[in-house]
Amino acid sequence: MLSLPQSPTCPGLFSPSSAADGMLIRIRTPGGIINSRQCYAIANLADDFAAGYVHITNRANLQVREIHKNLSIEVLNILQELGLGSRNLEVDPIRNIMSSPTAGIDSFELIDTRPFVRALDNYFQEHPELAALSPKFSVCFDGGGAVSVGDRLNDIRLLAVVDGGNTYLRLYLCAKDTGVLVKKEEAIALVAALADVYLSYTKQSDRPNYRRPRLKHLLEDWGIESYLKLVTGLTMQGAGSRGLGAGSGGLGMGIHPQRQPNLFYIGITLPLGRLESWQLRGLADLARNYGSETLRLTPWQNLLISDIPNRSIADIQDEISKLGLDCSGTSLYSALVACSGSIGCISSNTDTQTDALKLVAELNQKLSLKQPINIHFSGCEKSCAQHGGSDIALVGTKIQQGDRTVEGYDIYVGVGDSSFGRELYRGVTIVEVPRILERIIKLYQRQQLTGESFGEFANRCHI
Ligand code: SF4
């Protein structure tokens, strides 16, 4: 057995971190694309070394919790040979490169971003010096299609746009539009140059090693213009028109046609990204038997199977429900989000994961939805799991009841003064939460306008 070094920050396959429930590893799956053989290997790992389940994270990689014995060298070798471990151990904890989960199959995309993801991942493998950057350093490629990852936070985002009849990639830094357009063939060189200058900033920083500066700190210190001036040797275009942007973000569950004639992809809801190992094996079997052995993990902690012929759709839907999973998109699980909560984070006031799953299990018995409602559980004000607004947000708090303290939530809806929305209730115990949510969701269902989301309804009616 190999005793692995523990990571002080973000975990990787070769650098686990410890959590309240045991060791935790993250397996990088660039672009979220994974095949059936890789799924079988990960399911075996979860059974043999952990508690028999995995999570899909909000960077579309796989996380295994509750590891109670060290992974053997043989297992690590198998995972590495299957492409699930970095060739270069030093860069293993670098964050997963994100792209739309529908890259290459989206009928509306301007660019298939899969080659960019592979090329940048190779670049990282060959440049171990980049491991000195903040472990939060993050890059995403957005092909400008119907399924945009624009609602996910990334340090560097390259979004495909059309400008003057040509397709470019438009550069965003920490969600700010720089107005810079770059040719497709220069995209990797641009990210490399940005990372290089960021690395020299990191080396100059007097922050301690365990608090390496984020890219946002560089932008605060230098400003975007000065940063870009140092990124030399590229023929970047100036700010042009805004071009054609990407879709509205998020991925509808259920069946969708692909750009390839007569092929479809199917979106499957996973409660808070969790899959039991037997379900993971079952989905890998379905991808092998009905599709192209391709599964795509999404940054919304769901999963899709692509390349399903029309004739197989009814059969695969049936098989998915036999695995205890939902692909209708109308379950409350489909847009449920929660941070790790008290099982993985000492800042949390509540056990968000358990509370969220219990709440939705209860509400699913009483409610049937026509469109998803995004419910976001956050253990504290930091909002790690979702950075944009939500329909309903529950923020963990401690409530004083006489001489004892109990866990509870502040409840927010729609848009308001707080980044979580407008405060509706303060200090509600978890026992009271289901009744309140059932009441406001039923009110929404009685009074909603056609196509109106819960958040829009809450804003319009000021509930
Ligand atoms: S939102 Fe707060 S409680 Fe949740 S993971 Fe982030 S810091 Fe921890």
Side-chain angles (χ1 to χ4, degrees):
M1 296 288 178
L2 178 67
S3 185
L4 296 167
Q6 289 182 29
S7 166
T9 49
C10 290
L13 174 61
F14 301 100
S15 48
S17 65
S18 68
D21 54 359
M23 302 301 288
L24 176 159
I25 57 168
R26 259 183 220 147
I27 299 170
R28 294 177 76 231
T29 49
I33 295 182
I34 191 166
N35 62 41
S36 295
R37 284 183 65 212
Q38 292 172 320
C39 291
Y40 298 135
I42 294 166
N44 292 345
L45 182 159
D47 280 343
D48 296 344
F49 294 88
Y53 67 92
V54 299
H55 276 114
I56 294 171
T57 74
N58 59 8
R59 288 205 69 77
N61 50 3
L62 278 161
Q63 183 167 281
V64 185
R65 304 191 73 99
E66 296 194 56
I67 296 179
H68 291 296
K69 59 180 177 177
N70 287 321
L71 305 189
S72 63
I73 291 178
E74 292 74 30
V75 167
L76 290 169
N77 280 340
I78 290 170
L79 295 173
Q80 209 171 18
E81 275 164 24
L82 286 170
L84 291 168
S86 298
R87 297 191 302 279
N88 189 333
L89 268 54
E90 281 183 73
V91 298
D92 190 52
I94 288 184
R95 286 189 140 190
N96 204 28
I97 303 164
M98 192 186 288
S99 80
S100 165
T102 52
I105 58 174
D106 184 332
S107 307
F108 299 96
E109 72 185 358
L110 301 171
I111 297 177
D112 175 0
T113 53
R114 290 174 299 176
F116 297 96
V117 173
R118 285 193 291 269
L120 185 62
D121 195 53
N122 282 333
Y123 181 85
F124 285 163
Q125 307 282 338
E126 287 155 13
H127 290 82
E129 69 277 11
L130 295 178
L133 295 176
S134 162
K136 307 269 187 206
F137 177 56
S138 51
V139 182
C140 98
F141 294 96
D142 196 323
V147 180
S148 167
V149 287
D151 66 334
R152 307 285 91 182
L153 271 194
N154 279 280
D155 288 347
I156 296 174
R157 176 182 177 221
L158 284 164
L159 166 67
V161 295
V162 173
D163 190 88
N166 296 312
T167 304
Y168 294 99
L169 288 153
R170 190 176 187 106
L171 174 66
Y172 292 73
L173 294 172
C174 298
K176 292 191 185 72
D177 184 0
T178 66
V180 165
L181 304 178
V182 67
K183 292 178 187 164
K184 289 180 278 185
E185 54 275 24
E186 293 187 332
I188 300 303
L190 171 63
V191 178
L194 288 163
D196 203 36
V197 175
Y198 174 31
L199 184 60
S200 48
Y201 173 82
T202 301
K203 287 178 179 164
Q204 291 165 24
S205 165
D206 52 9
R207 287 165 194 262
N209 192 35
Y210 64 89
R211 295 195 66 184
R212 291 173 222 158
R214 304 276 308 269
L215 189 69
K216 67 180 180 184
H217 298 128
L218 179 156
L219 298 182
E220 281 160 17
D221 282 356
W222 290 357
I224 286 179
E225 249 178 57
S226 305
Y227 179 33
L228 291 178
K229 268 189 197 146
L230 294 170
V231 177
T232 53
L234 292 165
T235 53
M236 294 184 288
Q237 315 288 308
S241 68
R242 292 192 64 81
L244 296 175
S248 57
L251 170 74
M253 295 294 103
I255 311 287
H256 301 267
Q258 294 184 192
R259 70 187 307 163
Q260 296 81 7
N262 298 319
L263 289 181
F264 294 79
Y265 68 86
I266 182 160
I268 301 161
T269 297
L270 310 178
L272 295 181
R274 178 171 168 140
L275 265 178
E276 305 303 320
S277 56
W278 61 272
Q279 292 174 313
L280 181 58
R281 279 192 201 91
L283 291 172
D285 288 343
L286 297 185
R288 195 185 54 197
N289 296 339
Y290 294 101
S292 57
E293 299 208 19
T294 307
L295 299 97
R296 293 156 178 260
L297 316 179
T298 86
W300 304 282
Q301 298 183 271
N302 289 314
L303 175 148
L304 61 90
I305 298 178
S306 58
D307 311 313
I308 312 290
N310 201 1
R311 63 177 182 282
S312 302
I313 286 174
D315 289 344
I316 195 169
Q317 281 176 307
D318 192 38
E319 301 272 357
I320 288 167
S321 55
K322 283 184 193 154
L323 292 172
L325 297 169
D326 178 81
C327 57
S328 67
T330 55
S331 155
L332 272 164
Y333 289 119
S334 68
L336 179 68
V337 175
C339 73
S340 58
S342 52
I343 56 161
C345 175
I346 52 167
S347 305
S348 188
N349 290 313
T350 52
D351 183 355
T352 51
Q353 298 261 325
T354 305
D355 292 344
L357 292 174
K358 268 194 195 155
L359 169 77
V360 169
E362 193 171 334
L363 290 181
N364 267 340
Q365 307 282 326
K366 297 174 177 166
L367 299 165
S368 142
L369 297 188
K370 289 206 186 96
Q371 67 186 82
I373 297 177
N374 175 209
I375 302 178
H376 171 203
F377 274 74
S378 189
C380 78
E381 298 282 336
K382 264 198 187 166
S383 192
C384 296
Q386 180 165 314
H387 299 284
S390 52
D391 288 318
I392 300 171
L394 295 102
V395 183
T397 185
K398 299 284 189 209
I399 306 165
Q400 202 62 39
Q401 287 189 338
D403 53 2
R404 65 187 194 117
T405 306
V406 297
E407 295 184 358
Y409 289 91
D410 298 334
I411 302 178
Y412 297 80
V413 294
V415 176
D417 292 343
S418 154
S419 59
F420 289 107
R422 176 165 47 82
E423 188 178 280
L424 197 59
Y425 291 95
R426 178 169 280 269
V428 175
T429 65
I430 188 62
V431 182
E432 298 169 293
V433 169
R435 186 181 47 80
I436 291 174
L437 261 59
E438 183 187 346
R439 187 174 57 74
I440 60 177
I441 292 172
K442 280 187 171 162
L443 183 68
Y444 156 66
Q445 291 182 315
R446 282 198 301 275
Q447 298 185 7
Q448 79 171 123
L449 304 177
T450 310
E452 189 178 41
S453 71
F454 180 92
E456 289 164 347
F457 163 76
N459 297 338
R460 177 172 64 82
C461 296
H462 207 79
I463 58 166

